[in-house]
Amino acid sequence: MPLWLELTLRVAGVLAAFLVLPLVVGQAEHKVMAHMQGRLGPMYAGGFHGWAQLVADGIKFVQKEDVTPREADRPVFRLAPVVALVPYLLALLVIPLGPGDLVGQPLDIGLFFVLAVVGVGVVAVLMSAWASANKYSLLGGLRGAAQLLGYELPLVLAAASVAMAAGTLSLSGIVEAWRPWWLLWQAPAMVVFFVAGLAEIRRPPFDMPIADSELVFGYMTEYTGLRFAFFLLAEYVGIVVIAALTTVLFLGGWQGPFGDAYLGWLWTLLKVFAVSFVIIWLRVSYPRLREDQLQRLCWLVLVPVALGQLVLTAAVRVVT
């Protein structure tokens, strides 16, 4: 196969996943929340259980007027939603779906690359907050910056633990080195990574930068139409990326109970959707953390646990 054709197919596959998987997760969130809260929700769009409601919402956003505040910094204001989306697209490029060539672009430093680009999300938050010329947006942006910069440390430390255990920064290499007993050995790192990942994508109960009861809608207050939809899409893509990273780093990725490499992509997707369900369940089940509680959890709980896990992993590597 010519190189240009192979690259085209890989990029097309990643773009398809980038567009389809967040919609599936978004639809699942609507239905799971409806069932857990005992309400029907929209049931008519598309027929069966309102399966096309998310598509209808997207069409509605496209039709809405795109309003930019008069005092806003227009170029920065308009660019912020794109900056919120692009890091997750780049992350999906290097996350393996299965063994062999089932990855957009294999990198020997894939883990380092993913953690670097996901951290760019704080730039989008600050851009939207500052450029909106709105005090509520600015407060939400400052909260978001403090939260993202704080939780970046336990996220990286937890990922470093499993990378040290596997002896590689390649995401495919980590999956190949993974063993079932790591579910116990690396369990503290997995919990830290998952919780810090929720805070990184600002999902409830870590949604203080939005806090609609306090800040209207935080750094997204002034956004309308398609640009607001881009921020929502970035949230759902963030769920997919964090679920996929948790799957690849701590749950064995494409490895299944039957050892069938041909079904590896299916095991990966099943695990990703299972982790995504947990993320949705946490949104429904737990109230929003206050700012002091959020920072206390980061610095007094997650960081010490991540450091302890890192020391344990280093000791086991030295002994073995």
Side-chain angles (χ1 to χ4, degrees):
M1 181 184 297
L3 180 60
W4 66 269
L5 180 58
E6 181 181 351
L7 290 176
T8 302
L9 291 176
R10 289 177 183 270
V11 172
V14 172
L15 283 175
F18 179 76
L19 295 174
V20 173
L21 291 180
L23 294 180
V24 174
V25 171
Q27 181 69 11
E29 179 175 59
H30 289 172
K31 294 305 175 182
V32 169
M33 290 177 63
H35 283 289
M36 294 182 73
Q37 296 174 344
R39 53 189 176 85
L40 289 178
M43 298 288 285
Y44 299 101
F48 180 73
H49 280 268
W51 66 269
Q53 182 61 44
L54 209 62
V55 178
D57 288 340
I59 296 173
K60 176 189 70 176
F61 280 124
V62 171
Q63 294 175 335
K64 283 183 174 294
E65 183 180 4
D66 181 16
V67 179
T68 301
R70 182 173 55 189
E71 300 299 325
D73 187 333
R74 290 176 178 268
V76 179
F77 182 85
R78 293 174 176 174
L79 187 61
V82 179
V83 176
L85 271 174
V86 170
Y88 296 123
L89 174 60
L90 296 177
L92 287 176
L93 278 171
V94 300
I95 297 178
L97 181 62
D101 295 330
L102 288 179
V103 57
Q105 180 59 52
L107 290 179
D108 292 336
I109 56 169
L111 178 59
F112 177 81
F113 176 82
V114 168
L115 294 177
V117 298
V118 169
V120 176
V122 66
V123 178
V125 172
L126 290 175
M127 287 173 64
S128 60
W130 175 258
S132 294
N134 180 296
K135 293 181 180 179
Y136 290 116
S137 298
L138 183 59
L139 285 173
L142 294 177
R143 286 183 178 184
Q147 176 174 317
L148 296 177
L149 292 175
Y151 278 85
E152 191 76 18
L153 180 58
L155 185 79
V156 171
L157 290 175
S161 174
V162 72
M164 183 184 297
T168 178
L169 287 173
S170 167
L171 294 175
S172 297
I174 291 174
V175 176
E176 292 170 356
W178 183 87
R179 296 295 179 267
W181 65 277
W182 284 22
L183 290 172
L184 294 178
W185 179 35
Q186 295 294 325
M190 179 175 66
V191 173
V192 170
F193 184 88
F194 179 73
V195 173
L198 287 182
E200 284 287 308
I201 59 176
R202 302 169 295 283
R203 285 285 299 182
F206 301 97
D207 57 339
M208 279 299 290
I210 297 174
D212 51 308
S213 60
E214 304 172 22
L215 303 179
V216 186
F217 217 63
Y219 60 91
M220 292 189 284
T221 297
E222 297 292 350
Y223 283 90
T224 60
L226 195 58
R227 299 185 195 279
F228 181 75
F230 281 169
F231 273 116
L232 295 184
L233 179 61
E235 178 180 338
Y236 288 125
V237 182
I239 293 176
V240 174
V241 169
I242 293 301
L245 285 176
T246 304
T247 296
V248 168
L249 295 179
F250 300 99
L251 300 178
W254 62 76
Q255 296 193 37
F258 307 114
D260 190 352
Y262 294 104
L263 294 178
W265 61 271
L266 180 59
W267 287 116
T268 300
L269 289 178
L270 288 175
K271 294 174 184 178
V272 167
F273 285 122
V275 176
S276 299
F277 172 81
V278 175
I279 294 175
I280 296 170
W281 171 69
L282 288 174
R283 172 178 182 173
V284 181
S285 304
Y286 287 91
R288 179 184 301 125
L289 295 177
R290 295 196 316 265
E291 187 66 25
D292 60 315
Q293 294 172 330
L294 189 146
Q295 295 295 338
R296 188 179 299 113
L297 174 64
C298 174
W299 295 106
L300 299 183
V301 179
L302 297 185
V303 171
V305 171
L307 287 172
Q309 178 67 49
L310 200 60
V311 171
L312 174 63
T313 303
V316 172
R317 289 287 294 177
V318 170
V319 171
T320 57

